[in-house]
Amino acid sequence: MTKPVILTGLRANNNLTIGNYFGALMPMVEMANQKAGEYQINMFIPDLHSFTTPINHDELQGQIMHNARLFAAAGLPLDHDDILLYRQSYVPAHSELTWILDCFTGVGEMGRMIEYKDKSAKIGDDRVSVGLFNYPVLMAADILLYGAKYVPVGEDQRQHLEFARDISERINARFHDILTVPDPLEKQTEFFGKGQGLRIKDLADPTKKMSKSDDSGKGVIFLTDNPSEAAKKVMSATTDDKASINYNPIEQPGISNLLQILALLRGHPLDDVEAAYKGQSSYGDFKRIVADEVAGFLTAFQAKLADVSDNAIIAAFERSEQVANQQANETLHRVQQAVGLRPRG
Ligand code: TYM
């Protein structure tokens, strides 16, 4: 890697939501369009992460292609030498580095990961896979193989990003600086601007994250939702009885979430959007404005999605996977030498 690397991945385990879009996809596409040339942009599909919780395996291939199409529709250029689009499992070094890092990771450390605790509480102990437990280690390998400095992710992934920093520092302390440590989270926020660390909430239950694996889907806007159905979800979003629009995520999580979504859709600062509606009492009128904006956004996005060429995606995979394998194998070899699996220089 001769250029600094910006990297992110979005799992192919369901359709993506507007949370995924604003939390990770859009920041990454902006980076790709503004910074390729100066930076290398690694956008990948963490297909090995896709079945840490049970999925229908007959659908995985289709989901992988679908996600890549969503990336392209969001504006990821497919034919730029500095922009890599690849599938994690096509670069075997990801699995191999994971095993090595596993042996330097504490069981207690993984058990404290909030996402693991939440998901395992939901699924029940008997059905929790070692893969789910171990998932942050694979994520760290994804980042460290390419020496990525910047990793745009939503708020729910920040603890995992912190772990990638911890494990790289641990390996460096033990084996003399063989890995690039991702920048601290505050520096990442500075680099990406305000969007970093975003958490869009579920419309029906705004105390929880909007999640693609939510069973009912009632409070979730998927990028492929029918625009008028999505507008209906906004119209029935849970709010409060204060009859006054304010950005106050603790006391008014529903209205605050809608303000945040509107600001993101319009590309305006949240403060400006709040100022425009502050104190207004008609939630119905405000929801209509947000609903129309959501429907307009989805209509435009889906038109772009229909135009994406699968051949262009496959060509980008093939070109990128060649480069990714080369770069990842170099890092892996350095680690293998350090831990004694390969002869040293
Ligand atoms: P995943 O697939 O669950 O989510 C993809 C990205 O979307 C963000 N996100 C959100 N952002 C704001 N509001 C929300 N409601 C919301 N829901 C999801 C997530 O924070 C994430 O950035 N482990 C990762 C994928 C991954 C990865 C990596 C990311 C694997 N390896 C290496 C970065 C670097 C995951 O499961 O994200």
Side-chain angles (χ1 to χ4, degrees), residues 4 23 25 28 35 45 57 67 76 82 120 124 133 166 173-174 220 229 247 262 269 285 294 306 339-340 345:
L25 182 51
M28 193 61 175
K35 301 218 191 275
I45 299 178
H57 290 267
N67 268 29
L76 185 78
D82 286 333
S120 58
F133 184 68
D166 290 349
R174 179 85 190 266
V220 181
E229 293 299 319
Y247 185 77
L262 186 59
D285 291 349
V294 165
V339 300

Side-chain angles (χ1 to χ4, degrees), residues 134-294:
N134 184 22
Y135 147 139
V137 183
L138 176 57
M139 181 163 162
D142 297 337
I143 296 169
L144 301 175
L145 279 172
Y146 306 92
K149 283 193 85 61
Y150 301 108
V151 185
V153 286
E155 206 258 339
D156 58 317
Q157 296 296 321
R158 285 170 77 90
Q159 197 186 15
H160 299 159
L161 193 49
E162 202 58 81
F163 171 72
R165 282 175 46 73
D166 290 349
I167 185 81
S168 54
E169 283 173 346
R170 191 174 309 158
I171 296 284
N172 282 350
R174 179 85 190 266
F175 300 106
H176 311 299
D177 293 339
I178 54 172
L179 294 171
T180 302
V181 180
D183 268 11
L185 299 188
E186 320 76 70
K187 270 205 164 170
Q188 303 235 5
T189 307
E190 242 171 65
F191 182 77
F192 293 118
K194 278 217 302 217
Q196 176 73 347
L198 199 68
R199 180 182 288 251
I200 301 289
K201 303 290 174 43
D202 186 276
L203 297 175
D205 178 358
T207 60
K208 64 176 203 189
K209 174 184 88 163
M210 183 183 285
S211 166
K212 54 179 162 352
S213 39
D214 180 83
D215 291 335
S216 81
K218 254 177 41 196
V220 181
I221 296 178
F222 291 101
L223 293 174
T224 49
D225 269 353
N226 173 307
S228 53
E229 293 299 319
K232 281 189 206 146
K233 291 183 193 174
V234 175
M235 292 309 290
S236 41
T238 301
T239 49
D240 56 67
D241 56 9
K242 295 195 180 345
S244 170
I245 295 176
N246 295 288
Y247 185 77
N248 182 341
I250 307 290
E251 285 181 25
Q252 297 183 260
I255 279 293
S256 302
N257 193 36
L258 293 177
L259 281 166
Q260 173 73 84
I261 292 171
L262 186 59
L264 289 163
L265 288 167
R266 289 185 173 166
H268 293 170
L270 178 57
D271 288 352
D272 293 0
V273 173
E274 188 199 8
Y277 298 99
K278 197 169 174 57
Q280 291 185 16
S281 59
S282 170
Y283 287 0
D285 291 349
F286 179 62
K287 282 181 173 176
R288 186 76 264 159
I289 289 166
V290 182
D292 288 347
E293 199 84 37
V294 165

